[in-house]
Amino acid sequence: MTVHSFEEHFEQKLDKDIAIEPRDWMPDTYRKTLIRQISQHAHSEIVGMLPEGNWITRAPSLRRKAVLLAKVQDEAGHGLYLYSAAETLGISRDELYDQLHTGKAKYSSIFNYPTLTWADMGAIGWLVDGAAIMNQVPLCRTSYGPYARAMVRVCKEESFHQRQGFEIMLTLSKGTEVQKKMAQDALNRWWWPSIMMFGPPDDNSPNTEMSMRWKIKRFTNDELRQKFIDVTVEQAKILGLTIPDADLKWNEERGHYDYGAINWEEFWNVVKGNGPCNKERLEARKKAWENGAWVRDAANAYAEKRKKRLQQQAA
Amino acid sequence: MPQQTEQKNEWPLWEVFIRSKAGLDHKHVGSLHAADAQMAIENARDVYTRRMEGVSIWVVESKYLHTSDPDESASMYEPANDKIYRHPTFYNLPDELKHM
């Protein structure tokens, strides 16, 4: 087959919704786009463990502690599913880590905000995981097989993350005045960063068009953002909390909520590394990697020793 | 250069297969890195069976897995293409025939 016919064959598969698998021919840019997106997603899961890890030892009850621990463990698992999906595209795990540690690869900006109170665990589960689910459900049908399969697994596990967060918010909002205030404060701080999670608006999203054509993405950033706002506003009513957006209003004609202007300057500023916790998060990851070096080496040495011993026994 | 040393030290990649319950086949679920087979099985438990998804785990180092070439799929599976008589629906039988 010529390159041209390879490409035609690839396009035909996309048209027929046939998944692309690791050893199938694919355009270089498709491969690169996927590596960028999947690795960014994997890094987000791993860095996303840090803000919540902050509260494991300070959870208000054993139940909350066990739940938070399980959630953070899931995030480690999700990172690993995604790294292994990225590796099927021909990049090594060490290269992926290296890209994170050198700042070459990005992760979701939301994790560059601090977790100041226990209510933040509620707001993160409800809003951040809620937004993530909105993004991830369509990815279960993304065109690249290993990514789609990883996402099916992730989505199955993610639902409890959002529910436990909402439960925390519900408990606080039905609690004392101080607790309710704490919940409202968390919502105030996490709302805008959460709706920024869907990425830049469609008219300023350089990768969206190609990703839609390749069926990597199934909905645009703005479509998903709108969907998230529409469902979340209703959920806030159950909590009796106020979404911190004075322009939020039901638009009968559109059948959607209108919302206020998003501070994209803040978004790009955090993406560029100037958020409240960018340095801290990256340092924590680098330190974990460096401090783990002796464990990786020791495990290698032990495996080597056992292999030799087995060979000697066989001889 | 340091990256090359790192690559060399990277734990090998293993493919993980899980039997979800007795009576079913092991099914490929993904891959992970581990220094040896025992660690691969233990990591597979933590990564792929946190919600009782498995009762048995197989791991095989990825480099030992041999696969068919997708670019040769057309010729590889061609022999089965024109043998629809291998399917029970190929045969014309009267409607009144039961239990067959």
Side-chain angles (χ1 to χ4, degrees):
Chain A
M1 274 201 272
T2 61
V3 172
H4 179 71
S5 61
F6 272 124
E7 188 143 13
E8 227 165 61
H9 188 56
F10 171 81
E11 301 275 349
Q12 277 168 5
K13 279 203 255 182
L14 287 184
D15 286 344
K16 285 192 249 168
D17 273 325
I18 296 173
I20 308 300
E21 292 294 343
R23 294 185 62 212
D24 293 345
W25 186 92
M26 60 186 88
D28 257 3
T29 28
Y30 176 82
R31 186 185 300 275
K32 278 188 196 137
T33 302
L34 276 170
I35 290 178
R36 183 181 51 78
Q37 183 171 332
I38 301 173
S39 67
Q40 192 168 314
H41 197 158
H43 298 326
S44 300
E45 297 283 354
I46 297 302
V47 177
M49 296 162 78
L50 297 169
E52 289 175 311
N54 184 35
W55 283 91
I56 290 174
T57 54
R58 287 179 282 160
S61 71
L62 195 54
R63 176 180 184 270
R64 295 283 187 216
K65 183 172 174 158
V67 167
L68 189 57
L69 203 53
K71 178 179 192 289
V72 172
Q73 258 185 327
D74 271 355
E75 274 146 18
H78 298 175
L80 293 173
Y81 306 153
L82 289 161
Y83 280 131
S84 82
E87 281 172 284
T88 64
L89 292 157
I91 185 166
S92 75
R93 183 72 62 94
D94 277 355
E95 277 174 275
L96 291 165
Y97 288 153
D98 193 60
Q99 289 181 352
L100 172 66
H101 298 156
T102 56
K104 193 182 160 209
K106 300 280 178 224
Y107 55 87
S108 181
S109 277
I110 194 86
F111 303 117
N112 289 318
Y113 291 86
T115 44
L116 303 177
T117 71
W118 170 252
D120 289 15
M121 297 303 98
I124 287 180
W126 173 38
L127 300 173
V128 177
D129 289 274
I133 291 169
M134 215 45 104
N135 252 324
Q136 287 166 354
V137 168
L139 287 175
C140 297
R141 295 186 297 123
T142 195
S143 58
Y144 187 58
Y147 190 24
R149 291 192 287 275
M151 291 320 300
V152 168
R153 204 174 286 282
V154 168
C155 286
K156 261 191 214 159
E157 300 182 352
E158 199 83 46
S159 154
F160 113 71
H161 296 185
Q162 194 187 15
R163 294 173 73 115
Q164 67 85 37
F166 193 84
E167 193 195 61
I168 292 173
M169 292 302 268
L170 193 63
T171 308
L172 290 172
S173 64
K174 287 190 167 154
T176 63
E177 262 319 293
V178 180
Q179 286 173 322
K180 192 172 175 185
K181 236 174 149 176
M182 194 161 91
Q184 181 65 53
D185 167 66
L187 170 56
N188 292 350
R189 284 181 292 108
W190 289 96
W191 173 254
W192 291 102
S194 295
I195 66 171
M196 289 179 199
M197 275 178 73
F198 296 95
D202 294 346
D203 52 17
N204 190 21
S205 173
N207 303 314
T208 293
E209 198 199 324
M210 207 53 184
S211 291
M212 295 283 284
R213 208 165 73 77
W214 278 333
K215 297 188 176 173
I216 296 174
K217 269 171 116 160
R218 299 282 183 161
F219 297 97
T220 70
N221 297 351
D222 285 333
E223 283 168 348
L224 290 168
R225 182 166 16 246
Q226 183 71 61
K227 214 171 151 193
F228 174 74
I229 291 172
D230 290 346
V231 302
T232 311
V233 171
E234 298 304 320
Q235 294 168 354
K237 288 180 187 164
I238 299 173
L239 296 173
L241 298 177
T242 312
I243 305 253
D245 178 358
D247 297 323
L248 197 69
K249 212 175 82 203
W250 178 252
N251 184 326
E252 195 65 58
E253 208 177 298
R254 290 202 309 129
H256 291 293
Y257 277 95
D258 289 337
Y259 51 95
I262 295 172
N263 184 351
W264 291 112
E265 203 180 320
E266 175 185 326
F267 175 80
W268 289 115
N269 203 30
V270 180
V271 169
K272 280 182 196 130
N274 303 318
C277 301
N278 294 57
K279 285 200 182 69
E280 188 186 327
R281 301 289 185 240
L282 212 53
E283 276 312 307
R285 283 315 311 156
K286 281 199 277 197
K287 218 172 113 191
W289 178 248
E290 283 157 16
N291 289 347
W294 71 271
V295 179
R296 296 191 294 277
D297 290 344
N300 266 338
Y302 181 63
E304 201 53 41
K305 193 171 103 179
R306 285 221 305 189
K307 207 197 285 173
K308 273 199 190 124
R309 196 179 295 155
L310 276 173
Q311 280 164 357
Q312 274 167 4
Q313 277 171 2
Chain B
M1 272 301 121
Q3 201 167 327
Q4 269 188 351
T5 350
E6 266 180 28
Q7 304 282 325
K8 230 179 93 197
N9 286 339
E10 193 175 275
W11 287 345
L13 191 66
W14 301 75
E15 299 301 321
V16 180
F17 302 82
I18 303 229
R19 187 202 294 286
S20 58
K21 66 177 197 188
L24 296 181
D25 295 326
H26 285 77
K27 198 176 149 199
H28 183 246
V29 293
S31 57
L32 49 75
H33 289 271
D36 58 24
Q38 192 193 336
M39 188 196 275
I41 288 172
E42 283 163 9
N43 287 357
R45 177 202 59 189
D46 293 343
V47 177
Y48 292 106
T49 67
R50 283 190 306 283
R51 287 171 177 76
M52 300 183 296
E53 290 95 336
V55 295
S56 165
I57 298 173
W58 286 352
V59 294
V60 60
E61 217 178 312
S62 307
K63 67 178 180 190
Y64 295 122
L65 207 68
H66 300 271
T67 64
S68 59
D69 181 351
D71 294 336
E72 285 167 12
S73 287
S75 57
M76 176 87 167
Y77 303 108
E78 194 275 328
N81 259 345
D82 57 354
K83 296 177 180 64
I84 47 168
Y85 46 83
R86 285 181 169 155
H87 296 278
T89 45
F90 176 76
Y91 299 91
N92 289 321
L93 299 175
D95 288 346
E96 50 282 22
L97 183 75
K98 302 286 181 214
H99 307 298
M100 187 181 283

